[in-house]
Amino acid sequence: MTKTKLCAVVKANAYGHGAEAVTAALCGTADLFAVALIEEGLAIRVAACGKDILVLTPPTAEDEVYALAVNGFTAMADSLKTARLIVRVCEKYNLPLKVRLKVNTGMNRYGMNVQTLGKTCKFLQGNPWVHVVGMDSHLCECNITRAEKQCVCFERMLTIGKRYFPALNAYLGATYGALLGEKYRFDGVRVGLGLYGYLPCKANETTGVALETVKRLDLKKAMAVYAKTIACRTYQFGGIGYGEEKAPERSKDLTVIRAGYADGFLRQRENGTDGWQTQAGVSCMDACIRQGRFLQGQYLPIMTDADEVATVTGTVAYEVLCAATRRAEFIYDKESSFCGR
């Protein structure tokens, strides 16, 4: 058991896994949920069963602050300007709002520097409508040397924040931070990728992640994506799908599979999907053509490991997962992994 709280990140439709279903499944485990957009928060509000929902993107307009407050979400304040906007709207409508302070420790995406943090805390202190509950930052690279520098910076900024808000709780680490040990966990961790069976890095000296930690976790990949075979045919003449006229390299037997770039898989032949080596040409929007003959109407696995797809296509598992169920039917199996088709 641990006192570290779990903030389950279910943004981007729970990394493609279905936000409402994932939220419902984790409701008894997670302490709060995090999304990127207000609309994503609204989509999981019922499934969250009253647990706090943190919207990670700072608000920039009155209507956004109003929506955050009226729905009981927690907002992220990344600047004095954002804090002033939040206070103005909350006072205008007599609405309370919980706020977390976002500080910049080296990622330079969102967040205040040391000077701005002090001014923002002083501005928000004692406001009857805005309740500052926490402070957040984010490790920007799976590199232990850089993570240590960010951690020191975060501790310094947390000291400033607690001068104004002694009960402030702190979140620095996402999945990578959770792997590094207690020092990086503070009061809680925001776990995204790890929830779905993937790790953001390998265990080695550069990352600082211990191999024993990875082995102990023994993560299982939650998603497998299947596609239906639509047609089986014999090559006659011409090309294969779009592109120049070209005969099959191996077999004249061809199978059309109902998955293409509109379903989140790259148009290029080497797109990393399961069995891409037999792909006879580039994918079409809604289908791809493979060499070989399968049973018509059969479902074939086309994505069982996002890491493998990412390696072939030069990206990261996050991107693959978010795209791979773009037009899928979602089927959940409590005994094994999530399936999309």
Side-chain angles (χ1 to χ4, degrees):
M1 297 297 291
T2 175
K3 294 181 179 179
T4 304
K5 292 186 180 298
L6 170 63
C7 176
V9 182
V10 293
K11 64 182 180 179
N13 200 27
Y15 292 42
H17 292 71
E20 291 182 70
V22 170
T23 300
L26 293 175
C27 200
T29 303
D31 296 284
L32 69 157
F33 295 93
V35 295
L37 309 174
I38 294 170
E39 294 79 5
E40 293 175 336
L42 294 172
I44 67 164
R45 188 170 50 179
V46 174
C49 299
K51 296 283 181 72
D52 284 344
I53 298 173
L54 167 64
V55 178
L56 296 168
T57 304
T60 61
E62 179 177 311
D63 62 327
E64 294 173 356
V65 177
Y66 181 84
L68 288 164
V70 79
N71 286 290
F73 297 155
T74 301
M76 193 72 82
D78 69 323
S79 66
L80 180 57
K81 182 178 180 180
T82 301
R84 286 171 173 162
L85 169 67
I86 289 172
V87 167
R88 184 170 70 249
V89 175
C90 289
E91 290 180 345
K92 178 180 179 180
Y93 294 102
N94 294 335
L95 287 171
L97 179 62
K98 287 189 287 187
V99 169
R100 299 187 68 85
L101 303 172
K102 187 73 168 184
V103 295
N104 178 27
T105 58
M107 189 170 191
N108 292 298
R109 179 173 58 183
Y110 302 125
M112 296 171 267
N113 58 26
V114 173
Q115 292 75 23
T116 307
L117 174 62
K119 293 178 182 178
T120 303
C121 289
K122 186 175 182 179
F123 173 73
L124 292 173
Q125 188 181 36
N127 188 282
W129 299 108
V130 178
H131 308 294
V132 179
V133 297
M135 178 182 289
D136 290 44
S137 193
H138 201 296
L139 299 175
C140 58
E141 182 184 6
C142 293
N143 181 296
I144 187 60
T145 301
R146 193 166 182 186
E148 288 173 349
K149 292 179 180 178
Q150 285 193 256
C151 188
V152 170
C153 181
F154 185 67
E155 288 174 333
R156 178 186 176 192
M157 300 180 90
L158 184 59
T159 299
I160 295 173
K162 286 192 172 183
R163 292 175 190 166
Y164 297 89
F165 308 103
L168 212 62
N169 62 66
Y171 289 70
L172 173 64
T175 300
Y176 173 53
L179 294 171
L180 291 179
E182 188 173 350
K183 175 183 176 182
Y184 293 86
R185 294 172 190 163
F186 290 88
D187 298 303
V189 288
R190 300 179 310 273
V191 179
L193 192 64
L195 293 176
Y196 311 106
Y198 290 85
L199 296 178
C201 62
K202 294 181 179 180
N204 55 43
E205 291 184 3
T206 300
T207 64
V209 176
L211 182 59
E212 293 75 15
T213 300
V214 175
K215 289 181 177 179
R216 187 169 66 251
L217 285 173
D218 191 26
L219 296 180
K220 300 292 189 300
K221 293 175 171 58
M223 178 194 297
V225 182
Y226 292 78
K228 193 175 186 180
T229 59
I230 301 300
C232 301
R233 52 201 306 107
T234 301
Y235 173 80
Q236 298 294 324
F237 59 88
I240 303 176
Y242 291 124
E244 63 184 26
E245 184 172 318
K246 186 177 181 181
E249 296 176 358
R250 303 183 185 86
S251 171
K252 287 190 175 183
D253 290 330
L254 301 174
T255 299
V256 180
I257 300 175
R258 223 302 296 145
Y261 57 82
D263 302 287
F265 303 103
L266 292 185
R267 187 173 185 269
Q268 64 195 47
R269 177 179 178 273
E270 297 183 0
N271 62 8
T273 54
D274 291 27
W276 68 264
Q277 296 87 345
T278 65
Q279 194 150 303
V282 298
S283 298
C284 303
M285 183 180 289
D286 310 301
C288 62
I289 303 172
R290 298 280 177 88
Q291 294 193 57
R293 184 173 292 273
F294 297 90
L295 183 66
Q296 186 177 23
Q298 177 183 0
Y299 280 94
L300 298 177
I302 58 169
M303 202 291 290
T304 53
D305 190 323
D307 280 332
E308 293 181 0
V309 178
T311 298
V312 173
T313 56
T315 185
V316 291
Y318 301 80
E319 183 178 358
V320 175
L321 293 170
C322 289
T325 57
R326 189 176 293 163
R327 298 198 298 182
E329 171 193 358
F330 289 72
I331 300 173
Y332 297 92
D333 185 348
K334 293 182 180 179
E335 300 302 321
S336 58
S337 61
F338 156 84
C339 296
R341 68 182 191 186

